[in-house]
Amino acid sequence: MPSPPPVLPELLELQALAEQGTPHLRQRLLCEVEVDGRALPVHAYTLGRAGPEAPAVGFFGGVHGLERIGAEVVIAYLRSLVMRLRWDDTLHRQLESMVMLFVPLVNPGGCWRGTRANPNGVDLMRNAPQDALEPVPWLVGGQRISAALPWYRGARGAAMERESAALCEVAEAELGGRPFSIALDCHSGFGMNDRLWFPLACSARPIDHLPELHAFSQTMDQALLHHRYVMEPQSRQYLAHGDLWDHLYLRSRASGPGRVFLPLTLEMGSWLWIKKNPRQVFSRHGIFNPLIGHRQQRVLRRHLSLLDFIGRAAGSHTRWRPADAQRAQHQALALERWYRRPER
């Protein structure tokens, strides 16, 4: 067995981007994770210096250590922006009126070990304190039996893991207090379709910002012609305890009216990669990531347009967000589309 590299390649690339993006790209250490005698950092990166009333967008990846393609998509988009900063006046004008946040590798310890969970055996996307309001599927929905089993939430009453707490802290600081913000968390998921999920994972009830999500979906359909994304509430697939984005959304709603925070999760359809290369099923990494180089490049190309659209949509939200008179119409259409029709 070859010895592991001294540093994760994703961390090396991020450090190079931080240097290339100076002075526009600002790096902040959120926490460090101890694993196998190493201290691996969790960094946040920000672009734009707009004030607290300006819109913001956040891109997150690597919450599950096995799903490296999620981190790679976020890093690829950040790399594109850093390179464009050298010549793109349109990008500079965009950053004058909004803030862009990146946390590309939330779980470096899991990435190092090749595990879904962090080094403590905790699934970070089951680690928030809230319980689902309705029954969840056994194990998959989150369990407190043992860290030896998948989807472990952590001990009841314990503090959140440092990676989970760091994600929540920076998301609330940079996104939650603004009048409008969007977050995109990039994962690889089972299935043949790329899906965009929105909360709630803890309940099948519609969330308060259903009209905004429906208007966003319509705008995406019009702007990204022939896209392959299926946008839907996560509850349409399964319910879960402890979802971090549920936690952040519910805290945002409790902080007061008037703020719009739209957390989205990109679930890339990994069965497509397995269908084209069935041997991947015998590799733990192959189940969650495209292993052949040209397929990985195709995945990165396809999703970069989505991330760019989301950034532009956040910065231009006043042009597509439904006004008071339109919200009722979008609410009715959203209920019909996502909650009253059987899934196709």
Side-chain angles (χ1 to χ4, degrees):
M1 285 285 292
S3 59
V7 182
L8 285 169
E10 291 87 351
L11 293 179
L12 288 173
E13 183 169 6
L14 285 168
Q15 187 56 45
L17 288 175
E19 295 169 2
Q20 293 170 336
T22 304
H24 307 287
L25 182 66
R26 301 177 300 284
Q27 177 180 268
R28 171 187 167 193
L29 178 65
L30 302 181
C31 68
E32 288 186 324
V33 178
E34 299 290 334
V35 56
D36 299 336
R38 299 171 174 87
L40 301 180
V42 178
H43 279 122
Y45 305 84
T46 52
L47 287 168
R49 295 185 181 274
E53 295 303 305
V57 63
F59 300 100
F60 302 80
V63 172
H64 297 140
L66 267 177
E67 301 173 10
R68 299 180 83 143
I69 188 63
E72 289 164 357
V73 166
V74 177
I75 293 171
Y77 183 51
L78 179 58
R79 184 193 314 121
S80 171
L81 293 175
V82 168
M83 296 301 108
R84 286 168 52 195
L85 284 169
R86 301 174 179 177
W87 57 266
D88 191 344
D89 285 340
T90 302
L91 175 60
H92 282 277
R93 287 195 295 271
Q94 179 182 357
L95 293 173
E96 290 173 359
S97 60
M98 67 176 299
V99 169
M100 304 183 83
L101 166 70
F102 296 82
V103 187
L105 192 56
V106 176
N107 182 10
C111 189
W112 178 272
R113 289 188 170 179
T115 59
R116 175 184 171 96
N118 75 349
N120 294 332
V122 175
D123 186 329
L124 301 180
M125 201 44 70
R126 302 290 185 273
N127 189 221
Q130 80 279 353
D131 293 328
L133 303 178
E134 298 151 42
V136 304
W138 187 66
L139 291 184
V140 175
Q143 52 86 17
R144 297 194 189 275
I145 301 169
S146 170
L149 296 173
W151 302 291
Y152 180 58
R153 299 182 60 191
R156 185 175 300 279
M160 293 172 67
E161 296 293 297
R162 63 178 61 185
E163 303 95 325
S164 306
L167 183 155
C168 291
E169 178 187 352
V170 73
E172 289 193 314
E174 298 291 346
L175 306 178
R178 297 176 180 273
F180 184 90
S181 59
I182 300 178
L184 180 71
D185 185 13
C186 296
H187 294 253
S188 58
F190 289 105
M192 301 294 283
N193 296 308
D194 297 325
R195 297 181 183 274
L196 276 176
W197 284 346
F198 57 84
L200 293 166
C202 65
S203 172
R205 67 177 175 85
I207 66 173
D208 294 337
H209 290 116
L210 201 60
E212 286 76 13
L213 287 161
H214 186 264
F216 172 88
S217 180
Q218 280 193 338
T219 305
M220 182 177 71
D221 293 344
Q222 295 161 2
L224 296 182
L225 298 179
H226 314 299
H227 73 75
R228 299 174 56 178
Y229 300 104
V230 178
M231 188 166 173
E232 62 185 1
Q234 180 178 334
S235 62
R236 198 164 186 174
Q237 299 301 321
Y238 64 89
L239 298 179
H241 301 298
D243 184 274
L244 293 179
W245 299 110
D246 277 16
H247 175 66
L248 286 166
Y249 180 77
L250 293 171
R251 282 177 61 89
S252 173
R253 297 305 298 136
S255 67
R259 304 189 186 278
V260 177
F261 173 51
L262 304 181
L264 303 172
T265 299
L266 169 61
E267 291 280 332
M268 291 174 267
S270 60
W271 287 4
L272 288 171
W273 313 326
I274 297 172
K275 178 182 178 182
K276 294 179 178 179
N277 183 26
R279 288 177 295 179
Q280 285 192 199
V281 77
F282 299 107
S283 164
R284 181 172 57 173
H285 291 280
I287 296 175
F288 300 99
N289 304 279
L291 297 184
I292 298 176
H294 72 86
R295 292 203 180 106
Q296 182 186 38
Q297 293 167 9
R298 187 179 303 134
V299 169
L300 295 177
R301 286 195 303 270
R302 183 166 75 244
H303 296 304
L304 287 186
S305 60
L306 172 69
L307 272 63
D308 196 54
F309 164 76
I310 290 176
R312 291 170 181 267
S316 306
H317 67 97
T318 57
R319 293 183 175 272
W320 58 264
R321 274 177 59 189
D324 292 342
Q326 300 170 314
R327 292 190 85 252
Q329 180 183 7
H330 279 284
Q331 176 82 1
L333 292 171
L335 289 172
E336 179 66 20
R337 175 180 175 181
W338 288 318
Y339 293 91
R340 292 176 182 161
R341 291 194 307 179
E343 186 177 6
R344 295 180 182 178

